Amino acid sequence: MAHGIVFFLAPDDETAAATRLRGPGQAFESVTCRFIEPDSAIAEWDMYFEEPSAEVPPLEQLCGWRPWPEWVTAPLNDGVEVIALPQRLTRALSTAGSTELEELAGRWTTRLRSADGDDMTDDDLLAVLQGVARLAASAVATGGGLYSWSF
């Protein structure tokens, strides 16, 4: 489980990869959260927009989701990684309505609570999704990419 996660905008993979050592910082528009697995969150969001449902998908279905989010920089011994959100997910988030984001946040919260119990993040997951959706709209408008940096 990643301790700190930053979803951020960058013009390209090379620029996003350059954030690996210090994180995106103030130079990039971003949304932060804690104590989630960014790759499984990204996969779950992507799955939701491809197959909308309020029901929590079985873990096997989530873990088998393809395409799985791709690393821009793979984690090393320090656990820091940068992941590119799939373009189709970025486009879906950029046009998502409040009802879709609320349903997805509910489903995501249910899955995290069942998996992590009391160790679940205390972040407002709907607010995280709303923030990431705003970043996605900016990414689509500017032709940039949406990324996750975590440690």
Side-chain angles (χ1 to χ4, degrees), residues 7-112:
F7 293 97
F8 68 100
L9 294 176
D12 52 47
D13 288 358
E14 185 177 333
T15 304
T19 69
R20 188 202 175 293
L21 293 178
R22 297 200 173 141
Q26 305 263 339
F28 297 88
E29 190 176 349
S30 64
V31 171
T32 61
C33 59
R34 300 177 309 234
F35 306 117
I36 65 164
E37 290 293 342
D39 53 354
S40 62
I42 293 165
E44 183 163 352
W45 302 347
D46 192 36
M47 178 185 290
Y48 173 83
F49 287 108
E50 287 296 307
E51 302 170 7
S53 169
E55 299 300 316
V56 175
L59 188 57
E60 314 77 58
Q61 184 181 2
L62 177 63
C63 292
W65 186 250
R66 296 291 177 251
W68 194 254
E70 293 185 19
W71 285 314
V72 175
T73 63
L76 301 174
N77 290 339
D78 61 5
V80 175
E81 64 185 359
V82 179
I83 299 172
L85 275 71
Q87 286 297 316
R88 73 179 185 183
L89 174 58
T90 301
R91 285 189 302 274
L93 283 165
S94 75
T95 60
S98 60
T99 302
E100 290 172 298
L101 294 175
E102 289 168 9
E103 184 174 87
L104 175 54
R107 174 175 131 162
W108 186 29
T109 300
T110 300
R111 185 181 64 78
L112 290 177

